């Protein structure tokens, strides 16, 4: 009897990458890292136009029958609920609560400091405009980036970090990273003897910030904390290069 054929890899719709990372988007990097971490074969697909799903955002995991799982959190939930693949299995309820809080720090707070540097500050936007939209036809490269920049500015204004003075913003960044460094301590991984979801999210956001050629406050603050830099390198070499 022939062994069953291996399952075809799933397709993950993602923003393209550069700078040595698989996507310019930390959220797409999170989805890529989680699929890799739990061992689900996948291939990256870079849409030529804006996302067409219900949310209008990426990443999107394509399933059989045209079904879609939209968003990095929804992809993690699908892996756990539909495939039985939980990167946080074995964590105590306390550790799961700590992990959730730390992930929210990265995804819903520090992320907006990255957004400010890349989209709202002219130095960062010059790099974003050059690299993010390199695959567009020339005429669209002159039209699309300013439109998206206005949308990002509108959304970031409500969150608040984009309106802070530089000293206050730096304090917020340092507080976030000091908390993450304290949680990591001198261990290789945050909460277990193996990488969990928090390790994937930390690599996705901090590794993405470190890779960006425009530098900035976030990258400099991460570089000032060697244990966080080492963690990003460790995750990249032991999980992403596996």
């Amino acid at each position: 009897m022939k062994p069953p054929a291996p399952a075809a890899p799933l397709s993950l719709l993602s923003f393209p990458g550069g700078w040595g990372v698989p996507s310019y988007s930390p959220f797409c990097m999170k989805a890529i890292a989680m699929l890799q971490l739990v061992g689900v074969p996948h291939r990256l697909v870079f849409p030529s136009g804006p996302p067409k799903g219900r949310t209008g955002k990426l990443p999107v995991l394509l399933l059989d029958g045209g079904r879609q799982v939209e968003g990095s959190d929804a992809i993690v939930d699908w892996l756990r609920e539909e495939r039985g693949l939980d990167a946080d299995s074995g964590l105590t309820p306390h550790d799961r609560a700590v992990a959730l809080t730390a992930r929210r720090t990265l995804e819903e707070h520090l992320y907006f400091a990255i957004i400010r540097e890349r989209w709202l500050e002219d130095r960062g936007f010059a790099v974003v405009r050059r690299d993010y939209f390199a695959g567009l036809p020339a005429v669209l490269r002159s039209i699309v980036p300013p439109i998206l920049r206005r949308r990002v500015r509108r959304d970031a204004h409500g969150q608040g970090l984009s309106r802070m003075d530089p000293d206050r913003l730096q304090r917020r960044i340092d507080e976030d990273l000091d908390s993450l460094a304290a949680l990591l301590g001198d261990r290789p991984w945050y909460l277990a003897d193996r990488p969990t979801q928090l390790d994937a999210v930390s690599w996705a956001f901090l590794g993405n910030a470190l890779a960006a050629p425009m530098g900035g406050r976030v990258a400099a603050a991460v570089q000032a904390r060697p244990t966080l830099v080492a963690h990003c390198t460790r995750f990249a070499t032991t999980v992403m290069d596996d």
Side-chain angles (χ1 to χ4, degrees):
M1 179 181 295
K2 293 183 179 180
L10 296 172
S11 293
L12 182 71
L13 303 186
S14 169
F15 289 112
W19 313 336
V21 291
S23 178
Y24 294 126
S25 163
F27 287 99
C28 290
M29 282 181 59
K30 170 188 169 183
I32 295 166
M34 288 302 299
L35 290 168
Q36 183 77 6
L37 185 58
V38 299
V40 173
H42 60 281
R43 63 186 185 96
L44 297 181
V45 178
F46 306 122
S48 58
K52 296 181 173 62
R54 179 181 56 83
T55 64
K57 296 182 178 182
L58 296 178
V60 173
L61 189 64
L62 299 182
L63 308 179
D64 294 337
R67 293 180 298 149
Q68 297 185 352
V69 183
E70 300 183 29
S72 60
D73 276 346
I75 291 170
V76 172
D77 291 342
W78 180 85
L79 289 169
R80 182 182 63 252
E81 296 166 4
E82 300 297 326
R83 288 286 186 92
L85 300 170
D86 183 2
D88 290 345
S89 63
L91 294 186
T92 66
H94 175 271
D95 284 348
R96 286 179 179 266
V98 170
L100 177 63
T101 303
R103 295 199 310 269
R104 293 287 192 264
T105 296
L106 287 158
E107 297 178 358
E108 299 185 11
H109 191 259
L110 191 68
Y111 173 68
F112 284 93
I114 297 173
I115 288 294
R116 170 172 164 161
E117 292 180 344
R118 294 187 186 179
W119 286 90
L120 306 186
E121 297 177 4
D122 290 341
R123 177 171 175 268
F125 184 66
V127 177
V128 164
R129 187 170 192 161
R130 180 194 71 201
D131 295 348
Y132 282 27
F133 305 97
L136 292 181
V139 64
L140 293 181
R141 288 201 302 271
S142 66
I143 296 172
V144 173
I147 293 173
L148 293 180
R149 191 185 196 191
R150 287 194 293 272
R151 292 179 183 174
V152 171
R153 179 178 286 113
R154 177 198 64 200
D155 295 343
H157 183 83
Q159 193 273 341
L161 281 183
S162 66
R163 290 179 279 156
M164 289 184 180
D165 66 75
D167 290 342
R168 182 63 177 168
L169 175 63
Q170 187 65 57
R171 179 176 175 180
R172 288 290 193 98
I173 293 169
D174 287 335
E175 288 172 343
D176 285 354
L177 295 178
D178 283 342
S179 295
L180 290 167
L183 180 60
L184 179 62
D186 59 359
R187 299 185 301 275
W189 309 112
Y190 280 101
L191 295 169
D193 59 0
R194 55 178 177 79
T196 61
Q197 184 181 173
L198 176 56
D199 297 287
V201 174
S202 183
W203 169 78
F205 284 77
L206 302 189
N208 188 285
L210 286 169
M214 73 281 287
R217 300 178 191 86
V218 176
V222 177
Q223 289 168 343
R225 294 159 175 82
T227 57
L228 296 181
V229 176
H231 178 272
C232 289
T233 301
R234 186 178 304 113
F235 191 91
T237 56
T238 62
V239 177
M240 301 310 298
D241 290 345
D242 187 11

